[in-house]
Amino acid sequence: MNNFVFYAPTWFSFGRGEGKNVGALVRRFGGTKVLLVYGGGSVKKNGAFDTVTASLAQAGIPCLELGGVQPNPRSGKVYEGIDIVRREGVDFLLALGGGSTIDTAKAIGMGALYDGDFWDFFTGAAPIERTLPVGTVLTISAAGSEGSDSCVITHEKGDLKWGCPKTDVIRPKFSVLDPAYTCSLPPYQTACGAVDMIAHICERYFSNTPDVALTDRLAEALIKTVLDAAPKALADPNDYAARADLMWTGMLAHNNSCGVGRDQDWASHQIEHELSSLYDCAHGAGLAVIMPAWMTFVTDHDPLRMAQFAVRVLGCEMDFAHPERTAREGVARLRDIFRAWGMPVTLGELGTKAQDIPTLVEHRRKKPDGGFPFGGYVKIGPEEMAAILRLAE
Ligand code: NZQ
Ligand code: ZN
C-alpha cells in the first residue's frame, strides 16, 4: 500500500425527508444568501424543489435561482452563475440535482472568487486555492460529485470536456442524500448511474500497487452491492431499499475511500469524456461501451488481477491453468449485465460510427498536456486509444 492523505470533510445527511433540513445546513456552513442551481426541471416534478425552497424560506435564507443546467454541463451556465453571484452578493451555492448540476455549482464557486476566467483552473493556468461553499441535494445516484474532489465541465469553445485538477478544496460542505428523490429516475438514467459507479470503482481496482487487500475488498463489496441493487431499482423504481443502497454506494465509489494507497487508472473515463463531449451521450452510457473494451484490451497486462475480479465480483469459476480465460469470461459477463440493464455496449449502439475513431483520438490531443499518454494501469497512447475504440465497435 502507498502512503496517502485522506481528507473528505463533507457532512452527509442521509435518508427519507432529509431535504427539509437544507436551510439549517446552509446556515450551519455559513451561508446567508443562496444561488440554487438545478437542471431541466425533474426536481420540480418530484417535489425536491418545493421541499428545498420551503426549507430555505423557513431558515430565512434568500434564494436566487439558476435553472437549465444540461447533462454534460456547459461553460455558459458557469459564466452566467458567476455573474449572478457577483452581482447579487451570493455567498453559498446549493446544487439540486446530479453530477451536472453539482459540477456547475462547483465551477461557479471557484470562478466567483477569481479575477480571471474560471477555465484557467481547467487548463492548469491557475491553481484552485479557494471557492465559495457548495452544498448539494442529490437526485441521481451516479457521478459521486456529492462527495468528490473533482468537477467536469464542457467548454463550448471546442467542445472540450475536461476535469479540473482534483482538490479537496472543492468537496461539498454538505450533501443531503434522500433516496426517495431518485425514485422518479427513468430506467435509462438509473442504469447509467449504476454503470458510472462501477466504473469509478474499477478505475481504482485495476492498479499495479501491491498489498492493497483492504481496498480490493471494499471495492468488490461496492460493486456487488450495485449488481444486486440496480436490477431491483430497474424492476421497481420505488424500491426504497435498493435506491438507498445505490445512493450510498455512489458516494463511496467516488469519494476515494476505496482508492487510497493505490495507483489508479482512469483511462476509461478519459476516453468516455471524448465520447460525451463530441456526441453528448450520457456519461454512464459511454462508460458501458468503453469499460468492457478497455478491460479486454488490458487483460494480458495482469490476467490474475482481472481473473480475481471475475471470480470475486462476477462469480466466475477460476481456471487456474488459464486465468486469462477466467478474466475474459468476467468481461463478457459484465458486458451482458450492462446490456440487460438497457445500456448500449457498442459504439454503434451509442450512435457513433467507426469513421469517428480518428476524430475522437485527435480531439484528445487538445488537452493542455497533449493528451497522451494517459492511464495509470496500462499507458494509453493514440494507437492504444484507437484500438480500445475498435474493440468497442
Ligand atoms: O436536468 P434534469 O431535468 O434534472 O434531468 C436530469 C438529467 O436529464 C435527470 N435526473 C436527475 N435526477 C432525476 C432526473 N430525472 C428524474 N428524476 C430524478 N430524480 O438525469 C439526467 C442526468 O443528470 P446528470 O446530472 O447529468 O447525471 P449524472 O449525475 O450522471 O452526472 C453526469 C455528469 O457528471 C460528470 C459526468 O462527466 C457528467 O458530465 N462526472 C462528474 C464527476 C465528479 N464531479 O466527481 C465524476 C464522474 O466520473 C463524472 O465524470
Ligand atoms: Zn464517472
Side-chain angles (χ1 to χ4, degrees), residues 143 196 200 266 269 283 287:
D196 194 15
H200 292 162
W266 296 99
H269 264 71
H283 174 59
L287 287 167

Side-chain angles (χ1 to χ4, degrees), residues 114-133:
Y114 175 63
D115 283 339
D117 182 344
F118 91 92
W119 194 245
D120 289 351
F121 298 126
F122 289 70
T123 61
I128 303 166
E129 284 164 347
R130 60 204 184 114
T131 170
L132 281 180

Side-chain angles (χ1 to χ4, degrees), residues 77-107:
K77 274 289 161 198
V78 178
Y79 292 118
E80 203 181 323
I82 292 170
D83 281 349
I84 298 173
V85 165
R86 289 183 180 155
R87 197 173 59 236
E88 303 287 345
V90 166
D91 60 11
F92 199 96
L93 293 152
L94 183 59
L96 173 57
S100 298
T101 301
I102 298 172
D103 287 359
T104 300
K106 284 179 173 175

Side-chain angles (χ1 to χ4, degrees), residues 142-144 152 195-197 199-200 203 254 266 269 272-273 283-284 287:
V152 186
V195 172
D196 194 15
M197 289 174 209
H200 292 162
E203 300 281 18
H254 197 40
W266 296 99
H269 264 71
E272 194 295 313
H273 285 172
H283 174 59
L287 287 167

Side-chain angles (χ1 to χ4, degrees), residues 194-215:
V195 172
D196 194 15
M197 289 174 209
I198 292 175
H200 292 162
I201 306 162
C202 287
E203 300 281 18
R204 295 171 165 96
Y205 192 85
F206 291 100
S207 168
N208 298 314
T209 308
D211 303 324
V212 287
L214 171 64
T215 40

Side-chain angles (χ1 to χ4, degrees), residues 40-42 99-100 103 139 145 148 150 161 181 184 200 254 269 273:
S42 68
S100 298
D103 287 359
T139 64
S145 188
S148 83
S150 32
K161 184 174 180 179
Y181 288 156
S184 57
H200 292 162
H254 197 40
H269 264 71
H273 285 172

Side-chain angles (χ1 to χ4, degrees), residues 72 152 154 159-163 267-279 283 287 290 360 363-364 367:
N72 299 318
V152 186
T154 301
D159 288 333
L160 307 170
K161 184 174 180 179
W162 294 351
S268 298
H269 264 71
Q270 295 302 319
I271 299 174
E272 194 295 313
H273 285 172
E274 297 305 329
L275 281 179
S276 48
S277 71
L278 285 181
Y279 305 110
H283 174 59
L287 287 167
I290 296 300
L360 288 160
H363 197 252
R364 166 92 200 160
K367 296 213 54 142

